Amino acid sequence: MSIEEFGERKIAVEEVDAVEAPPKARVEGASETFERKRDYLAGFLAQKPEPLAGGEPGGELYEAIIASLKEIYDPEIPVNIYDLGLIYGVEVTDDGHAAVTMTLTTPHCPVAESMPAEVELRVASVPGVAFADVNLVWDPPWDPAKMSDEAKLELGML
């Protein structure tokens, strides 16, 4: 044992080669063998998700329509109209009728006449879409809060 002095305090230091392991806890009356209980999570994880209809969000047709909308860019802002928040909704029926609800940044937008027609043309060209309909709405009005984070990052707003 050695004693080291630090100012007015003295610290005793003892060096040892090994320390005995503490005794293991024992519970009276417990059996030595434990059975594994049924793992309920394994059955849950083995289940396969139900297939989505093509027109539901996540379905192939719906996602193809969204991809086509992401190819249309606002002429004044270098962001696609989907990420810009101009698309309020996409509905697809089982027979291939697609209805897109959209707005524009302002009613006086220079592309107010041509943009809905371009959206209709692009959506109608998606394989599986038999007919496309575009509903232009002004309520609720568009505001920058409707933009995706990617659009805000692109425009330097994040």
Side-chain angles (χ1 to χ4, degrees):
M1 182 181 278
S2 68
I3 298 178
E4 299 177 16
E5 292 187 33
F6 291 103
E8 294 182 20
R9 296 180 1 189
K10 295 180 181 179
I11 300 175
V13 178
E14 181 180 355
E15 294 184 24
V16 296
D17 292 328
V19 177
E20 289 184 36
K24 293 186 178 184
R26 297 282 177 197
V27 178
E28 295 292 326
S31 64
E32 292 298 320
T33 60
F34 295 100
E35 291 183 33
R36 179 174 165 89
K37 295 190 182 201
R38 182 171 177 219
D39 192 355
Y40 291 98
L41 189 57
F44 175 76
L45 293 175
Q47 292 178 357
K48 300 292 181 205
E50 292 183 23
L52 292 171
E56 292 180 32
E60 282 186 41
L61 184 56
Y62 182 89
E63 294 302 323
I65 291 171
I66 298 301
S68 73
L69 292 171
K70 287 185 175 185
E71 293 176 356
I72 304 170
Y73 282 79
D74 186 291
E76 297 173 322
I77 304 170
V79 176
N80 69 67
I81 63 172
Y82 188 82
D83 288 333
L84 198 55
L86 298 179
I87 305 300
Y88 286 174
V90 175
E91 296 176 16
V92 184
T93 63
D94 291 337
D95 59 350
H97 179 228
V100 177
T101 303
M102 69 173 291
T103 193
L104 298 172
T105 52
T106 69
H108 304 292
C109 182
V111 292
E113 291 184 26
S114 63
M115 182 69 73
E118 183 177 357
V119 169
E120 185 176 334
L121 182 67
R122 292 278 185 107
V123 171
S125 69
V126 172
V129 174
F131 180 73
D133 188 26
V134 176
N135 301 315
L136 187 61
V137 297
W138 302 108
D139 189 36
W142 179 86
D143 64 81
K146 293 183 178 6
M147 292 191 299
S148 69
D149 288 342
E150 291 83 9
K152 289 177 184 176
L153 185 63
E154 180 71 28
L155 296 175
M157 296 173 72
L158 274 183

